[in-house]
Amino acid sequence: MSLSVAASTQALSAELVFSLLERVRQKAPRVHTITNAVAQSFTANVLLALGAVPSMTIAREEVAAFAGGADALLVNLGTLDEERRLAIPLAMDAARKAGRPICVDPVFVNRSPVRCAYARELLDLKPDLVRLNSEELAALLPERADVDALIEAGTVFAVTGPEDRIESRGEDFLLRNGDPLMSRVTATGCAGGAVLAAFLSVENDRALAAACGLSVFNIAGEIAAGRAGGPGSLVPELLDALYSLTDRDIEARLKTG
């Protein structure tokens, strides 16, 4: 099952994308990131290059204070060990009580029934944004009615792939930026989820924030891929591209509608 692209799909202007990027750079939001062990360092560096600030503790005795005091929370299930499993509900509860946006990235729920069941429990907490691919979505919510119910309750879905689709109870977006080389480096998708969380912290329209965040990250990925000689050099090029991304870069490359 995949999300359908609604007839109300909206175009996205380069000016608007850049204006949200500038808000992130000016505000320097702290994103508390509970992510997998493979992705931690790269994700932290992506947030810093973007202009945000990472924090990453998963210790149960302090995760609620960190998440409640952050500007946004990312929950990534890539390595769902016991410590993360216990810390995640504490962090989500604290972020919700503080009025902070929450992004959930249910990585590989299509490969683990136990992880999929846990992710469904997290959906009951009504995260602001769920970022996943079509295979993960089919495993997590095989019935379209369940997707629609979450959307009606206010959750936005960002389904990534060759084309990225954003669906919400307001506007929908179809995005076509990115480069295949990005999939040859581990944790690019995980780091992209952190970028979305940063954009959620500066824009109340969650669908718009997701569309702009994905566009920024994937345009930076295109620029990086054009400069890199392969996966090994993509990582530093991606960090540099995020750090120096301009309105002209976005205007020249943005593919949406």
Side-chain angles (χ1 to χ4, degrees), residues 68 90-100 102:
L90 299 174
M92 290 183 68
D93 182 62
R96 179 64 71 227
K97 287 178 178 175
R100 308 307 188 201
I102 301 170

Side-chain angles (χ1 to χ4, degrees), residues 9 176 211 225:
T9 296
R176 299 186 177 91

Side-chain angles (χ1 to χ4, degrees), residues 1 18 31 37 40 51 88 91-92 94 114 122 125 144 159 162 165 184 189 192 195 198 213-214 253 257:
M1 192 274 294
F18 185 70
V31 178
Q40 284 180 297
I88 286 168
M92 290 183 68
V114 172
L122 299 185
L125 301 177
R144 175 68 208 193
V159 183
R165 305 189 308 278
R184 304 302 294 270
V195 171
L214 274 174
R253 292 177 177 269

Side-chain angles (χ1 to χ4, degrees), residues 107-130:
V107 178
F108 289 150
V109 289
N110 53 315
R111 300 187 185 183
S112 167
V114 172
R115 183 178 299 189
C116 194
Y118 180 81
R120 289 192 186 113
E121 293 177 7
L122 299 185
L123 294 185
D124 290 339
L125 301 177
K126 304 296 189 296
D128 298 273
L129 176 67
V130 179

Side-chain angles (χ1 to χ4, degrees), residues 32 87 136 147 152 174 220 257:
H32 191 72
E136 292 160 347
V147 179
E152 185 59 31
L174 180 63

Side-chain angles (χ1 to χ4, degrees), residues 49-112:
L50 181 71
V53 178
S55 59
M56 294 197 160
T57 185
I58 57 173
R60 276 174 285 166
E61 61 270 21
E62 62 179 9
V63 71
F66 269 84
D71 296 291
L73 172 66
L74 170 69
V75 172
N76 177 296
L77 304 186
T79 48
L80 191 58
D81 53 36
E82 189 64 13
E83 192 167 13
R84 287 175 172 81
R85 180 187 296 273
L86 295 173
I88 286 168
L90 299 174
M92 290 183 68
D93 182 62
R96 179 64 71 227
K97 287 178 178 175
R100 308 307 188 201
I102 301 170
C103 175
V104 171
D105 191 345
V107 178
F108 289 150
V109 289
N110 53 315
R111 300 187 185 183
S112 167

Side-chain angles (χ1 to χ4, degrees), residues 8-61:
S8 60
T9 296
Q10 302 294 307
L12 191 65
S13 73
E15 182 180 6
L16 188 53
V17 173
F18 185 70
S19 72
L20 262 66
L21 174 58
E22 284 290 272
R23 280 192 235 166
V24 172
R25 288 169 170 171
Q26 291 164 9
K27 182 179 179 182
R30 179 164 66 83
V31 178
H32 191 72
T33 305
I34 300 178
T35 192
N36 65 79
V38 176
Q40 284 180 297
S41 178
F42 181 51
T43 298
N45 285 330
V46 162
L47 284 170
L48 289 167
L50 181 71
V53 178
S55 59
M56 294 197 160
T57 185
I58 57 173
R60 276 174 285 166
E61 61 270 21

